């Protein structure tokens, strides 16, 4: 019944990660768009495992909940007490008694691991029909890691933890990356023989290698091409270092596909983002979540886009957007804030100091300056005057404003929702629009101007203003008189 290549993936994620000093379990810390655990699961994805088991313990509820979001097919297995990596794998295998073929075990804290590397490890393991294969790497600084100890023939003898190692063994720079392939049956048998005879009094998964070797089983070492992939994360300093390394990898990937990144050191792109050719990402820019940037778009400098879709040829300068859609050739900023469900059509514009939310701004329509557009639909080719507020909130509920196409609304308007402005309508500057405006009408909704002539000379005699007024009045006694005619 058992098939040679049936695969089970076991991810070890029960540890607390004490040195993170966090209420969040270590494996849930985010790194450019995925949690540490999410990265590991992604790296294992292409193996096409029949089953994925994640050993949870510290913060088990949080980790389970996260799994249900990112890997609903994975089975969480509880390791109540963290009695070591060997114990953790034992718990995992107990939960899948029928597991056969290859078991791949991955520490939950190696987020830079590439799928190709895991695949190469598994292929080497299966090709060699080994009982166990460990991924190893030569690292510049092996501090804290398990060392690969080889015999005179260069064959793996044992994996020794630093704290249990002799000074000679500590000098070795070939380390255990915490990623392994095992034959299920032989792993199960060896796990049953693990002792806790070590400095931490734990069951070490790594001891399986010496046990198998002593039993005459073939064990192997597979070397990672790039040690960076094997770097683990034990504290926030290491997390920051991993983030920089991943940033560089991601940026390099996009530059090689034809994206310009003007300052790669200040550009942080989540692994979940996509960017099309000839887009230009200017400095100090973060692209996060489900963001996509279309061909030839310009994003940045100083811009953060979260779950935002940017159309081809659009430009977004010094702005912040969350859950927005920016149409092709649209223009945003400088200093705009697009909130969820903001939708800009082709060549639409949201300019400087403008905030939008649940707002659909049609093709070619513009909101150029100092405005709030919330719960609104604006048709095509309309212009919204500077300093306009869509008054969407009555203190209890939100209401909608609809502006038609080719409308021209004056500066400093309030649209008190619910209200509609028809196609081709105008509104006067300074209007508070509380009633619908029919298509083609001009709405004026403001106090009439009244000039009280000579008031300053009478009421503010002796001031600089009065003096200026007097001077102005001397040469032209009628000045202001014409302006007051409409009073
Ligand atoms: C482990 C290896 C070490 C290797 C290093 C690579 C052992 C004994 N040592 O050491 O050789 O160089 O990883 O990073 O395996 N975990 C559980 N349950 C437990 C203990 C740990 O699920 O009872 C999980 C942790 O959450 C973590 C992973 O196993 O994801 C590794 O545990 P950790 O304590 O970080 O092991 P290291 O000391 O780093
Ligand atoms: Mg570790």
């Amino acid at each position: 019944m058992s098939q040679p290549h049936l695969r089970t993936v076991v991810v070890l994620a029960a540890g607390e990660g004490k040195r993170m000093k966090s209420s969040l379990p270590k494996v849930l810390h985010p790194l450019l768009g995925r949690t540490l655990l999410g990265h590991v699961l992604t790296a294992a994805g292409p193996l096409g495992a029949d089953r994925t088991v994640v050993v949870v313990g510290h913060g088990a509820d949080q980790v389970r909940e996260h799994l249900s979001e990112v890997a609903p097919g994975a089975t969480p297995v509880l390791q109540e007490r963290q009695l070591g990596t060997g114990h953790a794998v034992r718990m995992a295998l107990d939960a899948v008694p029928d597991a056969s073929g290859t078991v791949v075990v991955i520490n939950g804290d190696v987020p830079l691991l590439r799928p190709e590397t895991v695949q190469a490890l598994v292929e080497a393991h299966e090709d060699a029909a080994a009982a166990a294969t460990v991924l190893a790497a030569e690292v510049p600084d092996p501090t804290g890691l398990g060392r690969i100890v080889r015999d005179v023939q260069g064959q793996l003898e044992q994996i020794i933890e630093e704290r249990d190692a002799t000074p000679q063994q500590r000098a070795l720079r070939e380390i255990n990356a915490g990623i392994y392939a095992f034959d299920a049956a032989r792993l199960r048998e060896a796990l049953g023989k693990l002792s806790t005879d070590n400095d931490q009094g734990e069951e070490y998964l790594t001891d399986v290698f010496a046990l198998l070797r002593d039993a005459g089983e073939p064990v192997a070492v597979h070397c990672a091409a790039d040690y960076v992939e094997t770097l683990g994360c034990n504290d926030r300093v290491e997390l920051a270092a991993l983030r920089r390394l991943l940033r560089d990898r991601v940026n390099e990937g996009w530059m090689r596909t034809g994206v310009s990144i003007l300052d790669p050191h200040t550009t942080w792109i989540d692994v979940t983002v996509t960017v099309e050719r000839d887009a230009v990402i200017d400095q100090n820019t973060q692209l996060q979540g489900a963001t996509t940037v279309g061909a030839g778009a310009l994003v940045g400098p100083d811009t953060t886009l979260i779950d935002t879709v940017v159309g081809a040829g659009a430009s977004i300068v010094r702005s912040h957007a969350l859950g927005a859609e920016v149409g092709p050739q649209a223009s945003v900023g400088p200093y705009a804030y697009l909130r969820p469900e903001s939708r800009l059509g082709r060549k639409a514009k949201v300019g400087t100091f403008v905030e939008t939310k649940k707002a659909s701004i049609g093709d070619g329509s513009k909101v150029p300056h100092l405005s709030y557009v919330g719960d609104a639909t604006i048709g095509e080719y309309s212009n919204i005057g500077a300093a306009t507020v869509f008054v969407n909130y009555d203190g209890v509920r939100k209401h909608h404003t609809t502006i038609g196409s080719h409308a021209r609304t004056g500066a400093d308007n309030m649209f008190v929702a619910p209200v509609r402005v028809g196609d081709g309508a105008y509104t006067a500057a300074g209007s508070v629009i509380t009633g619908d405006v029919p298509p083609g009408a001009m709405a004026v909704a403001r106090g009439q101007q009244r000039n009280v002539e000579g008031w300053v000379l009478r009421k503010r005699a002796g001031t600089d203003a009065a003096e200026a007024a007097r001077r102005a009045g001397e040469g032209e006694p009628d000045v202001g008189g014409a302006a007051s005619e409409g009073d």
Side-chain angles (χ1 to χ4, degrees):
M1 280 218 304
S2 75
Q3 298 185 3
H5 293 309
L6 223 54
R7 288 168 184 166
T8 305
V9 167
V10 176
V11 178
L12 304 186
E16 178 182 6
K18 268 197 199 81
R19 284 170 284 168
M20 295 297 281
K21 305 213 167 132
S22 177
S23 54
L24 192 65
K26 175 165 86 175
V27 294
L28 295 190
H29 278 258
L31 187 73
L32 292 185
R34 287 196 186 104
T35 58
L36 300 184
L37 178 57
H39 281 290
V40 167
L41 290 166
T42 303
L47 289 178
D50 306 274
R51 217 146 19 178
T52 300
V53 178
V54 178
V55 181
V56 300
H58 267 282
D61 290 342
Q62 279 168 284
V63 179
R64 275 200 204 95
E65 196 186 321
H66 177 64
L67 273 178
S68 71
E69 287 160 17
V70 303
T75 311
V77 167
L78 184 66
Q79 183 195 24
E80 288 207 40
R81 293 171 59 211
Q82 283 65 63
L83 303 174
T85 49
H87 180 261
V89 174
R90 205 146 61 74
M91 296 298 103
L93 289 193
D94 283 354
V96 286
D98 56 338
S100 60
T102 303
V103 176
V104 179
V105 177
I106 312 181
N107 283 0
D109 62 352
V110 280
L112 300 192
L113 186 63
R114 287 181 203 259
E116 300 89 302
T117 303
V118 191
Q119 251 168 327
L121 165 75
V122 171
E123 268 163 38
H125 169 81
E126 289 175 354
D127 288 352
T133 307
V134 57
L135 185 73
E138 284 268 353
V139 296
D141 177 14
T143 307
L145 295 166
R147 309 294 205 279
I148 303 291
V149 182
R150 294 175 183 262
D151 63 19
V152 282
Q153 279 95 45
Q155 300 297 308
L156 175 65
E157 198 170 80
Q158 63 166 330
I159 302 171
I160 186 92
E161 293 308 295
E162 177 168 280
R163 54 208 307 164
D164 301 307
T166 64
Q168 244 172 343
Q169 290 168 330
R170 272 183 212 188
L172 297 169
R173 288 194 298 114
E174 190 181 21
I175 58 88
N176 164 24
I179 299 142
Y180 323 82
F182 297 100
D183 169 67
R186 288 180 280 186
L187 171 62
R188 213 183 278 278
E189 208 189 313
L191 285 172
K193 297 182 188 152
L194 285 181
S195 80
T196 54
D197 184 16
N198 53 55
D199 186 63
Q200 296 195 89
E202 289 185 352
E203 287 179 38
Y204 285 167
L205 176 61
T206 44
D207 286 348
V208 161
F209 284 83
L211 282 169
L212 288 171
R213 181 190 145 108
D214 292 349
E217 299 283 1
V219 293
V221 180
H222 180 78
C223 295
D226 180 5
Y227 81 90
V228 160
E229 285 189 49
T230 69
L231 293 174
C233 176
N234 293 303
D235 61 29
R236 297 191 200 230
V237 176
E238 287 178 2
L239 182 63
L242 293 179
R243 184 176 287 116
R244 288 192 294 273
L245 289 164
L246 188 56
R247 171 201 65 196
D248 291 346
R249 184 195 283 179
V250 169
N251 286 348
E252 191 178 325
W254 288 121
M255 289 188 278
R256 296 217 181 275
T257 68
V259 172
S260 283
I261 298 182
L262 302 191
D263 184 14
H265 290 291
T266 63
T267 302
W268 301 83
I269 304 179
D270 280 1
V271 294
T272 45
V273 165
T274 61
V275 188
E276 286 175 24
R277 251 174 108 116
D278 287 320
V280 177
I281 313 298
D282 206 340
Q283 66 183 12
N284 206 20
T285 291
Q286 302 87 43
L287 306 179
Q288 299 176 355
T291 293
T292 63
V293 176
L298 169 65
V299 180
D302 307 328
T303 293
T304 301
L305 305 182
I306 306 159
D307 300 336
T308 289
V309 176
V310 180
S315 107
I316 305 190
V317 180
R318 287 187 214 280
S319 292
H320 187 99
L322 168 63
E325 264 179 61
V326 177
Q329 292 168 271
S331 132
V332 175
Y335 308 108
Y337 179 22
L338 307 183
R339 292 168 50 203
E341 294 177 55
S342 295
R343 293 202 178 84
L344 280 62
R346 173 179 292 273
K347 293 192 178 177
K349 173 176 177 139
V350 165
T352 306
F353 302 119
V354 174
E355 174 179 342
T356 64
K357 185 218 73 172
K358 274 195 185 166
S360 166
I361 298 167
D363 291 356
S365 281
K366 295 180 178 174
V367 188
H369 332 274
L370 299 159
S371 296
Y372 171 64
V373 185
D375 297 286
T377 307
I378 300 172
E380 298 179 354
Y381 305 101
S382 286
N383 192 82
I384 306 301
T388 290
V389 174
F390 285 64
V391 183
N392 58 337
Y393 186 43
D394 63 11
V396 181
R397 275 182 309 180
K398 302 283 168 67
H399 303 279
H400 197 85
T401 296
T402 303
I403 309 273
S405 293
H406 298 281
R408 296 281 179 273
T409 68
D412 198 22
N413 276 202
M414 302 277 152
F415 293 106
V416 182
V419 73
R420 307 175 75 88
V421 175
D423 290 345
Y426 276 54
T427 64
S431 288
V432 177
I433 302 294
T434 55
D436 291 354
V437 181
M442 157 62 97
V444 186
R446 64 185 185 207
Q448 291 263 314
Q449 183 171 334
R450 189 165 70 95
N451 294 340
V452 182
E453 300 243 2
W455 186 93
V456 174
L457 282 176
R458 288 199 305 278
K459 301 285 193 186
R460 295 290 183 269
T463 63
D464 288 351
E467 181 53 24
R470 193 191 55 73
R471 277 201 308 269
E474 262 175 10
E476 286 173 74
D478 285 331
V479 81
S484 69
E485 231 140 60
D487 194 31

